[in-house]
Amino acid sequence: MARISLDPPRSLPVRMVGAYSKRQYGKVLEPALAIGHNTKVLVPYLRFEQKVAKWHALDEGLKHLAVMVVSARIGCEWCMDFAYWASQKLGMSPEKAGKVPSWREHRDTFSETEQLVMEYAEAMTATPPTVTDELSGRLQKELGERAFVELTMMAAMENLRSRVNSAFGLTGQGFSDQCEIRPAR
């Protein structure tokens, strides 16, 4: 049960976000409804999300693995629900997506680069972060500096999303119900 009403005042920004969200995802995203109680937060946050969506220095599949690992480590049910749906849209196999939360037990499923990305996302999510010079150096060599910066920002961005959604008490919104797999609980 959400810790905040998902019925914000029907301001123009909330209505616009609702219409866009329905077109893109088939439903209004609950995080937007929760944040919609304060449009001075909602509007710049969504502008930032729109700009983040235009980053393309890092392979989309690698980016998504980092997002999924962060969501899983934080335990954000809403984010994992959405991530499984998004993984299907990216063409990731349901079997592979289902192994992301426990990727270390399924190393043979993931390439060396994918494992490095997931290890880095986990290290960034730890409190305090446990990123090492060695891991950062290996990723910069593998990905290049532009993609490494994007990976770092994506892991940080998903930490923001997952922590906010978890604090609001948001749970799955039914996105994974449209997939062949279900998020690990």
Side-chain angles (χ1 to χ4, degrees):
M1 178 88 176
R3 295 182 183 107
I4 186 168
S5 162
L6 298 178
D7 188 23
R10 300 277 304 147
S11 64
L12 179 61
V14 169
R15 291 192 316 267
M16 290 174 63
V17 167
Y20 172 80
S21 185
K22 281 182 183 177
R23 278 193 316 276
Q24 286 295 114
Y25 309 107
K27 55 184 98 178
V28 180
L29 302 180
E30 289 176 353
L33 293 173
I35 299 169
H37 287 280
N38 186 334
T39 57
K40 290 188 185 283
V41 174
L42 177 68
V43 172
Y45 172 71
L46 292 177
R47 284 186 184 138
F48 183 56
E49 283 281 9
Q50 288 175 326
K51 293 194 184 295
V52 168
K54 294 178 182 177
W55 298 346
H56 298 295
L58 180 64
D59 172 81
E60 291 297 320
L62 293 175
K63 191 182 308 188
H64 192 66
L65 287 173
V67 165
M68 288 184 77
V69 164
V70 170
S71 299
R73 291 302 166 265
I74 290 173
C76 178
E77 290 181 49
W78 193 95
C79 299
M80 287 304 295
D81 178 53
F82 188 80
Y84 279 100
W85 175 82
S87 68
Q88 187 177 36
K89 298 293 180 196
L90 284 172
M92 185 183 295
S93 77
E95 297 78 25
K96 186 172 187 171
K99 292 177 180 175
V100 171
S102 57
W103 68 270
R104 290 176 189 276
E105 297 167 19
H106 306 283
R107 289 183 183 270
D108 58 324
T109 303
F110 303 98
S111 72
E112 185 175 331
T113 301
E114 290 171 333
Q115 291 178 49
L116 284 171
V117 164
M118 291 185 290
E119 181 180 350
Y120 185 73
E122 283 181 342
M124 282 192 61
T125 304
T127 303
T130 58
V131 174
T132 64
D133 292 344
E134 189 267 333
L135 179 57
S136 295
R138 287 179 66 197
L139 274 165
Q140 286 179 54
K141 184 177 180 182
E142 180 74 27
L143 303 174
E145 290 180 338
R146 287 185 70 230
F148 175 73
V149 168
E150 190 169 312
L151 170 62
T152 302
M153 292 301 294
M154 285 308 303
M157 187 69 186
E158 190 54 36
N159 265 275
L160 168 72
R161 293 176 189 133
S162 290
R163 292 178 190 281
V164 167
N165 293 343
S166 292
F168 283 151
L170 302 180
T171 59
Q173 197 174 338
F175 285 100
S176 63
D177 295 343
Q178 303 167 35
C179 301
E180 297 174 37
I181 58 169
R182 301 289 178 266
R185 298 273 184 234

